[in-house]
Amino acid sequence: MSIDLNPLSLRELTTLIRDAKERQKALNGRQPVDKVRRQLTALAQKSGYTIEELFGEGVTSAAKAKPRRRKGPKVAPKYRDPESPWNTWTGRGKMPLWLASKIRFGHSPVDFLIPGVAKLTPNDKPLTGKRQLFKQS
């Protein structure tokens, strides 16, 4: 989430900061969801009810649903755009637009490998001979 703060006046910024601090205090004061869920379940059982009787059938499936896990470790970037260093790509998934446009105008993916981090793979064969570069429009 990003908020453009440039058009805000001093009064609006002060109000935004105050509201954000109040919201942060309210969120920090809350107990974790799992703890509250356990307390509610225990109170319902103590009173002779089940959660399904109190809140409906869909509650148990949502309460028992496990959060999604990432499928693997985070991968370090393999390619970097020298013109804008924040443009990086790990080499996995769909090729980003910045790299695709560079390749379309005559560059090779090997030109954008991060030195010391990335190694050539069998698919990254350096071009031999003279390269022909096309003017970008």
Side-chain angles (χ1 to χ4, degrees):
M1 178 182 104
S2 69
I3 300 172
D4 186 16
L5 301 176
N6 292 332
L8 298 179
S9 67
L10 180 61
R11 176 181 279 176
E12 292 170 331
L13 281 173
T14 307
T15 305
L16 179 65
I17 291 170
R18 185 187 68 237
D19 293 344
K21 286 182 180 179
E22 289 174 6
R23 178 71 178 147
Q24 183 181 23
K25 185 186 286 187
L27 289 177
N28 286 339
R30 296 192 324 183
Q31 295 180 354
V33 173
D34 292 338
K35 183 176 180 181
V36 173
R37 189 176 290 132
R38 283 193 305 270
Q39 291 174 347
L40 288 174
T41 304
L43 182 62
Q45 288 176 350
K46 184 178 178 182
S47 301
Y49 292 100
T50 63
I51 293 293
E52 293 83 12
E53 289 176 321
L54 296 175
F55 296 108
E57 294 295 323
V59 175
T60 56
S61 63
K64 293 180 181 178
K66 293 183 180 179
R68 290 185 178 183
R69 290 183 53 196
R70 287 184 39 193
K71 296 195 176 186
K74 189 168 181 173
V75 180
K78 184 176 179 181
Y79 301 94
R80 175 170 284 130
D81 185 3
E83 294 173 7
S84 47
W86 55 87
N87 285 340
T88 59
W89 183 44
T90 61
R92 296 184 177 185
K94 186 177 177 185
M95 184 181 292
L97 294 176
W98 65 266
L99 185 56
S101 67
K102 302 275 186 179
I103 290 171
R104 188 174 49 238
F105 289 107
H107 288 281
S108 168
V110 177
D111 299 336
F112 301 99
L113 285 171
I114 298 174
V117 175
K119 298 176 184 173
L120 287 176
T121 60
N123 294 338
D124 296 332
K125 296 175 184 160
L127 296 175
T128 57
K130 194 170 185 179
R131 263 189 231 140
Q132 181 181 5
L133 295 178
F134 297 95
K135 186 175 180 182
Q136 294 182 359
S137 52

